[in-house]
Amino acid sequence: MPRLSPIEAEEMFSRLRELNPHPTTELDYATPFELLVAVALSAQATDVGVNKATRKLFPVANTPQAIAALGVEGLKPYIATIGLFNTKAANVVALSQQLLERHGGEVPRDRAALEALPGVGRKTANVVLNTAFGEPTMAVDTHIFRVANRTGLAPGKDVRAVEDALLKAVPAEYLQDAHHWLILHGRYVCKARKPDCPHCAIRDLCRFTDKTPGEPEPVAA
């Protein structure tokens, strides 16, 4: 598949920014620690489902100290509606304890330190670095992987290859927010089973050969 040219990539993100000038995560959070917990809980779960759980959890426990005090059995009832909640409860309590023991209870602004936390992989670390600390990182989930490959923006066979390609392909001006634009585009427009190509703002730039047929509805005057 031919890649988008630098000029096309620039145009792509210009349009996405025009539609959504200030994109952000759909996970509810108020602090870096709340974001870290929410992202850790979001693996194989929807943001909506995670938000329902954290709306009950965070008023009771939203610091490493409070989560560690709850313990695994105390945490489970709050997140029992989320997939893999047993494993996630163990990881969230363990990462809370590690933050207390090694980082003074603060979420580190460092990739290696984040990835050393229980249950925290590269994608979670990238989300925290980008969304909580403003680092121009690229957290590649299934949505971003799909969009990067379908559009020709940054094709790759695995998530790391796509991440590396995106860091090269995305114009520097847009890199800070690109993660959010791409995930939202994949979630609501470039969907896995039936992409909404007729209403896609970047349809004419996209390299996807199996575009959904049809023309967009005319906009009412």
Side-chain angles (χ1 to χ4, degrees):
M1 174 188 291
R3 293 174 180 258
L4 296 187
S5 70
I7 292 175
E8 289 172 319
E10 172 80 28
E11 177 64 19
M12 173 181 176
F13 284 101
S14 175
R15 295 181 193 179
L16 294 176
R17 180 171 65 181
E18 184 176 352
L19 290 171
N20 186 359
H22 304 291
T24 189
T25 179
E26 293 187 316
L27 291 169
D28 293 337
Y29 76 99
T31 66
F33 178 72
E34 287 187 0
L35 178 64
L36 175 62
V37 171
V39 178
L41 295 176
S42 71
Q44 299 183 44
T46 66
D47 287 1
V48 171
V50 172
N51 288 340
K52 286 181 180 179
T54 57
R55 285 186 195 121
K56 297 177 181 178
L57 171 63
F58 288 159
V60 175
N62 69 339
T63 65
Q65 294 90 337
I67 293 288
L70 267 183
V72 175
E73 294 306 315
L75 176 58
K76 282 182 183 180
Y78 291 98
I79 65 171
T81 55
I82 298 174
L84 308 175
F85 73 93
N86 286 307
T87 298
K88 290 175 181 179
N91 284 335
V92 169
V93 170
L95 73 82
S96 297
Q97 293 169 335
Q98 191 163 308
L99 288 176
L100 292 170
E101 294 166 2
R102 302 184 185 180
H103 305 287
E106 299 293 325
V107 176
R109 186 173 180 169
D110 176 81
R111 177 186 301 283
L114 284 168
E115 291 188 28
L117 296 170
V120 176
R122 186 176 182 86
K123 185 184 77 172
T124 297
N126 276 333
V127 173
V128 173
L129 289 169
N130 177 272
T131 305
F133 298 123
E135 301 284 346
T137 57
M138 190 64 63
V140 179
D141 69 349
T142 55
H143 297 299
I144 293 179
F145 184 82
R146 181 171 66 253
V147 172
N149 276 286
R150 274 184 178 172
T151 60
L153 174 65
K157 293 184 178 180
D158 55 53
V159 292
R160 184 58 192 273
V162 168
E163 178 185 335
D164 292 342
L166 282 169
L167 290 173
K168 295 177 181 178
V170 177
E173 176 184 353
Y174 302 100
L175 194 54
Q176 172 61 43
D177 292 322
H179 159 76
H180 298 300
W181 282 316
L182 293 174
I183 194 172
L184 292 171
H185 189 70
R187 185 172 290 166
Y188 296 112
V189 181
C190 194
K191 294 172 282 191
R193 293 187 178 179
K194 189 177 180 182
D196 190 11
C197 300
H199 296 90
C200 176
I202 58 172
R203 176 179 177 139
D204 58 311
L205 302 171
C206 175
R207 301 291 195 261
F208 187 47
T209 55
D210 296 323
K211 290 187 176 70
T212 307
E215 296 298 326
E217 294 294 327
V219 178

